[in-house]
Amino acid sequence: MPKKFSFMKDKSHSKSERHQNESGHSQQTDERTIVNQPEYEPPPPWVPMNQRRNHPDYDNEHLERYLPRRIILERPASGEPLGFNVRGGRETHCAMFISSITEGSIAEAEGIVEGDQILELNGVSFIDIDHSEAVGILKQSKVLDMSLRYFPRGYKLMSFRCDLEGN
């Protein structure tokens, strides 16, 4: 569960009030805002230069896997499933991700994988879109011209956040 931190909004303009506590002593209170912060995650361990070539955290030979790519899917018939589910959206403060792939589907054949972030679909940006709006566009489109990027870390963090919040 995220920790709660309180901080001053703006010290120069904060509302400051005096209240008497139960013992009759005057006590000053300040207006504070509660902010949920994720748990601290330490950086990955340092790897010496001479060991990076074959180290999984320094896999530069497969860098193109993480670059944005374009995939065009054509739905066989209107209303037919696409072979994947999505998770995320503006209301969860998360990007829109592919959350599961149906085995043997067109999506799997085209190389779509769990953890792909949908950047754009048929010219509509999915960077900041409501989940219901995204699903509506996905369901009504016969041809899907998608811009995706594989972003497993972002997907893992988004899933963690959504699971905590019950979304």
Side-chain angles (χ1 to χ4, degrees):
M1 179 146 179
K3 292 182 180 178
K4 291 189 177 188
F5 296 95
S6 64
F7 66 94
M8 296 298 294
K9 282 184 179 176
D10 183 349
K11 291 182 180 180
S12 63
H13 300 297
S14 68
K15 292 182 183 175
S16 200
E17 299 177 7
R18 287 199 149 313
H19 296 282
Q20 285 190 354
N21 61 18
E22 294 166 1
S23 63
H25 291 96
S26 181
Q27 184 177 6
Q28 186 168 348
T29 60
D30 294 312
E31 183 179 299
R32 296 186 184 270
T33 301
I34 303 298
V35 177
N36 291 326
Q37 296 288 326
E39 293 290 328
Y40 173 74
E41 185 175 313
W46 184 79
V47 177
M49 290 289 282
N50 62 347
Q51 296 176 12
R52 292 182 185 178
R53 180 144 181 85
N54 296 316
H55 196 279
D57 289 341
Y58 292 90
D59 185 10
N60 293 325
E61 293 177 16
H62 298 98
L63 183 63
E64 65 275 355
R65 179 178 187 193
Y66 301 96
L67 297 175
R69 65 192 190 283
R70 183 176 175 206
I71 292 180
I72 299 176
L73 292 179
E74 192 164 341
R75 193 187 307 263
S78 184
E80 285 288 314
L82 294 165
F84 64 87
N85 292 328
V86 295
R87 190 172 190 189
R90 182 183 302 135
E91 59 276 11
T92 60
H93 307 287
C94 297
M96 189 65 61
F97 285 91
I98 304 292
S99 60
S100 66
I101 300 288
T102 305
E103 196 172 315
S105 67
I106 298 168
E108 183 185 49
E110 289 295 328
I112 296 175
V113 295
E114 181 179 343
D116 275 343
Q117 179 185 358
I118 304 174
L119 303 172
E120 187 177 284
L121 176 73
N122 294 344
V124 178
S125 173
F126 269 47
I127 299 297
D128 186 31
I129 190 169
D130 286 328
H131 183 82
S132 57
E133 183 181 353
V135 170
I137 293 169
L138 287 163
K139 285 186 175 184
Q140 73 184 17
S141 302
K142 178 145 174 64
V143 176
L144 295 123
D145 186 351
M146 305 171 76
S147 177
L148 304 170
R149 74 170 175 164
Y150 183 57
F151 189 26
R153 177 155 171 72
Y155 174 66
K156 180 181 171 186
L157 291 172
M158 182 272 307
S159 293
F160 179 73
R161 173 191 268 171
C162 287
D163 289 343
L164 277 177
E165 295 175 0
N167 294 322

